[in-house]
Amino acid sequence: MLNGIGQQFERSPETRLDLSAAPDDPKRSLPFERPVVCYTYGAPRAGNAAFRSVYNALVPQTFRIVGSRDVVPTLPPSIAYRQIGREVWVDDAGELTYVMSWAMRHILPARDSVWYHPLLSYFRLLNRAFMRKTRWPYLSRFRGDSAIREALDGKSL
């Protein structure tokens, strides 16, 4: 059994796994019938390089969605902590970038704002990406909630 508990700045909930339940050989897969796919939104750095290697071997289909200037994915500010999975960066216009070069990271605006971290900000950015692709707004089942409706309509940050 895998435990998925934790607190945001300690270790993000989706990455706080009891790896003692994992096989000794990281080349083996987890005991699930279908491959595990994990999406994180604004997740902080999860652990050291050894943790990242084991995690990425066990859950290779992990995608880190990073919203524009969100500062949290850069935390904690230490060379000892590493990100897991593959980054998908969403800019303010809703453009998705899957592989970002070193030069591109240094040309783009800094990731320095906590205002991009709330989930409503991610709703807004991902809705823009969806509209760029389909020309239609995303029809969320949570659209009845006024805060989510405003985020999807682009009325909030």
Side-chain angles (χ1 to χ4, degrees), residues 58-128:
L58 293 172
V59 190
Q61 294 296 311
T62 297
F63 301 92
R64 292 183 300 107
I65 313 300
V66 177
S68 191
R69 298 178 66 171
D70 186 359
V71 70
V72 174
T74 67
L75 301 174
S78 167
I79 59 171
Y81 286 89
R82 301 284 186 263
Q83 284 286 8
I84 57 164
R86 294 179 230 163
E87 181 176 283
V88 179
W89 186 73
V90 187
D91 71 10
D92 286 329
E95 184 68 35
L96 302 175
T97 303
Y98 295 94
V99 179
M100 192 176 299
S101 68
W102 180 90
M104 193 171 178
R105 279 190 192 280
H106 291 83
I107 292 171
L108 294 171
R111 295 178 184 176
D112 59 359
S113 175
V114 295
W115 297 109
Y116 281 84
H117 187 65
L119 192 54
L120 292 176
S121 178
Y122 279 82
F123 269 115
R124 180 184 55 84
L125 294 171
L126 291 170
N127 185 56
R128 287 183 183 169

Side-chain angles (χ1 to χ4, degrees), residues 140-149 152:
S140 170
R141 70 174 67 179
F142 303 108
R143 197 168 184 86
D145 181 284
S146 62
I148 292 176
R149 184 174 50 253
L152 291 174

Side-chain angles (χ1 to χ4, degrees), residues 3-26:
N3 296 322
I5 58 172
Q7 293 180 352
Q8 188 165 2
F9 287 102
E10 183 180 336
R11 217 183 235 157
S12 53
E14 61 278 353
T15 57
R16 187 176 178 124
L17 301 175
D18 181 1
L19 292 178
S20 64
D24 292 334
D25 181 5

